[in-house]
Amino acid sequence: MNSFLKKLCVFGSLLAVLALAACGGGGDKGADEASPTNDDEATSFPEKDINGVIQWGEGGATDIISRTLASIAEDEVGASLVMQNKTGASGAIGAQYVYDQPADGYTLLFGAENPNLYQLLGISERDYVNDFVPVSIIGQSYAGIVVNKDSEFDTLEELVDYASKNAGKLKMGTSGEGGLPHVASAMLKSELDTDFNLIPYDGDGPLAVALLGNEIDVTVLAVSAAQEYVESGDFKMLAVLNNSSLDSIPDVPPITDIYEQFDQYLPWGPFQGIFAHKDTPDEVVQKLSDAFEAAQNDEEFIEKLTSLGVDPLNLHGEEAVEFVKANQSTSTWMLYDAGETEISPEELGIPKVGE
């Protein structure tokens, strides 16, 4: 009889276990309900500081604009923005770092246009279109061709004439392959048969220092980064890469006033934007976009951009995506048509603008 009771108890216990399993396990279910889901995390975002990674060095256009906006945006975001510069490889070091972090919105890339060219130039597998989602496109900048105040060149025609007749003698500072000066030099080479000795630096700030110290003969800087040096008389800006003059530097001629053939490339220029990992939850991206949109409506920030020769854009969502794609198309095909790369943008699935 005792043996029967023991077997009955064992059988009863087994039934109880099976019943709990069929219900999903009462104790485990409670634990699951207490664990945050992705929706819960998006709702409570942000719960800690957000890291902002600037892919260029201190003092350049991207650095100035990013840090100015970050200080305004903290109240809108509801968290501190801890900014840091991660330079190298034409900005690819910073871009890869952000890509390698968890896709949770707590690490953002404050970047410029360069990742649009990485795959074409073999710099990195990363690019904006496939690996990131734009949180905000802040503004469209313009570029200027600049020389030291003591340079023998006072006009773009003089510079072009020398660079055409003395291949490789003039040192042009660049921010690496795919950077603004590299693309601009390809444009000049294609249309005017110039030939520069390209010297790489880590962004606009180091480039400006190099030009001040006469380490280089010429460079192409975002107007926002060069303007203070032009106004102080340290630099001469020979032309802006645009098809009309800029209000911030009205005395500097647009390049199309000197060489009409550049009109086919313009308007074109660098831009600044904020990007998150492509797998960041949509709700988090939307929260960030809304916060940065509000911050960019700040009158003082708009005045700051305008004073730097930057057109405020404040683009988000599909508009931002289309802007990035159009910039990638223009820049990649410009380099390819100039003979600066053997890889065709078509091989990467990048169409020409308008196609």
Side-chain angles (χ1 to χ4, degrees):
M1 186 68 176
N2 286 341
S3 175
F4 173 77
L5 286 174
K6 287 180 181 179
K7 290 180 179 178
L8 186 62
C9 289
V10 170
F11 181 71
S13 298
L14 180 60
L15 286 176
V17 170
L18 291 173
L20 282 172
C23 294
D28 288 340
K29 182 178 180 181
D32 285 343
E33 288 176 345
S35 300
T37 65
N38 286 339
D39 288 341
D40 293 331
E41 291 172 356
T43 301
S44 60
F45 179 88
E47 295 184 303
K48 59 183 180 180
D49 293 347
I50 294 173
N51 295 314
V53 176
I54 303 168
Q55 64 177 174
W56 294 109
E58 296 180 5
T62 303
D63 183 69
I64 294 169
I65 293 170
S66 299
R67 290 183 183 276
T68 302
L69 178 59
S71 65
I72 298 171
E74 287 183 330
D75 288 341
E76 302 291 346
V77 174
S80 295
L81 284 161
V82 182
M83 307 298 287
Q84 57 181 315
N85 299 83
K86 286 190 176 294
T87 65
S90 297
I93 299 297
Q96 185 64 48
Y97 175 83
V98 173
Y99 183 82
D100 289 339
Q101 305 311 303
D104 53 13
Y106 286 103
T107 307
L108 302 177
L109 177 65
F110 286 71
E113 67 284 350
N114 309 77
N116 272 341
L117 298 172
Y118 287 165
Q119 292 184 4
L120 184 77
L121 296 170
I123 294 173
S124 168
E125 295 179 355
R126 307 277 78 85
D127 79 344
Y128 284 142
V129 173
N130 296 298
D131 300 308
F132 296 91
V133 57
V135 170
S136 173
I137 302 300
I138 302 167
Q140 169 83 58
S141 302
Y142 298 94
I145 301 171
V146 291
V147 296
N148 187 284
K149 64 179 181 180
D150 298 322
S151 171
E152 63 183 285
F153 308 114
D154 294 317
T155 66
L156 181 58
E157 293 98 322
E158 293 174 354
L159 177 74
V160 167
D161 183 63
Y162 187 92
S164 300
K165 295 176 180 177
N166 300 274
K169 286 192 176 181
L170 287 181
K171 292 179 287 186
M172 174 181 277
T174 77
S175 49
E177 282 194 297
L180 172 61
H182 179 212
V183 179
S185 70
M187 189 191 306
L188 294 171
K189 179 180 179 181
S190 175
E191 297 298 328
L192 303 174
D193 197 31
T194 55
D195 189 350
F196 296 97
N197 178 15
L198 303 182
I199 311 295
Y201 292 85
D202 284 329
D204 283 350
L207 277 173
V209 172
L211 190 59
L212 280 171
N214 286 311
E215 294 176 18
I216 54 178
D217 301 302
V218 59
T219 190
V220 179
L221 293 175
V223 170
S224 53
Q227 188 170 345
E228 64 175 296
Y229 298 102
V230 174
E231 292 175 348
S232 67
D234 291 313
F235 292 168
K236 294 183 287 187
M237 186 174 290
L238 306 183
V240 291
L241 295 177
N242 198 35
N243 48 14
S244 62
S245 60
L246 303 180
D247 291 340
S248 58
I249 45 171
D251 295 332
V252 179
I255 194 169
T256 49
D257 278 7
I258 309 167
Y259 301 105
E260 293 182 359
Q261 61 265 45
F262 285 96
D263 190 63
Q264 63 181 309
Y265 300 113
L266 304 170
W268 170 87
F271 68 84
Q272 284 74 37
I274 307 166
F275 298 84
H277 190 287
K278 65 176 181 179
D279 295 330
T280 304
D282 292 342
E283 296 84 355
V284 171
V285 173
Q286 189 62 54
K287 275 193 170 185
L288 288 166
S289 293
D290 290 345
F292 280 106
E293 179 179 13
Q296 288 173 73
N297 286 325
D298 180 87
E299 289 185 6
E300 289 186 10
F301 181 69
I302 294 173
E303 290 176 3
K304 178 68 172 178
L305 288 184
T306 303
S307 71
L308 291 172
V310 178
D311 285 344
L313 294 180
N314 202 358
L315 301 180
H316 310 272
E318 192 58 32
E319 268 193 304
V321 171
E322 291 304 315
F323 176 89
V324 171
K325 287 181 177 179
N327 180 277
Q328 183 184 55
S329 178
T330 300
S331 300
T332 53
W333 281 97
M334 186 186 297
L335 279 176
Y336 179 69
D337 289 341
E340 289 293 302
T341 173
E342 294 182 1
I343 300 174
S344 167
E346 191 173 12
E347 296 176 42
L348 301 172
I350 303 172
K352 283 190 173 183
V353 173
E355 292 185 359

